[in-house]
Amino acid sequence: LKAFVDQNLDPDGFPVTVRYRIIDVADYNGDGRMEVAVHAWYYEGGSVILLEYDGTELVEVLATGCGS
């Protein structure tokens, strides 16, 4: 899947480009509902985020990564 780019601002107003790519969709916790694994990265680091749909939006349930 093609990554998309968000333009966010940190508290000091410095523009930070964060890229996201969907890695996998699977039932990671065995509850019968699918979760979405996403790779997120920017110029100083990266992370993997696990998202779950709560009926209205995707909610972060687990994340790990490194960087500043």
Side-chain angles (χ1 to χ4, degrees):
L1 294 173
K2 185 178 178 185
F4 63 91
V5 177
D6 281 343
Q7 292 289 332
N8 297 309
L9 296 176
D10 72 9
D12 298 325
F14 181 76
V16 177
T17 300
V18 181
R19 296 180 57 125
Y20 301 89
R21 178 169 291 150
I22 295 173
I23 300 171
D24 194 19
V25 177
D27 182 11
Y28 287 100
N29 61 6
D31 67 355
R33 295 176 13 181
M34 302 299 247
E35 287 82 39
V36 180
V38 176
H39 176 220
W41 69 97
Y42 64 108
Y43 72 99
E44 284 187 340
S47 61
V48 175
I49 305 165
L50 193 60
L51 304 165
E52 185 174 78
Y53 186 66
D54 71 358
T56 59
E57 64 183 348
L58 287 171
V59 178
E60 181 179 312
V61 293
L62 184 66
T64 186
C66 63
S68 298

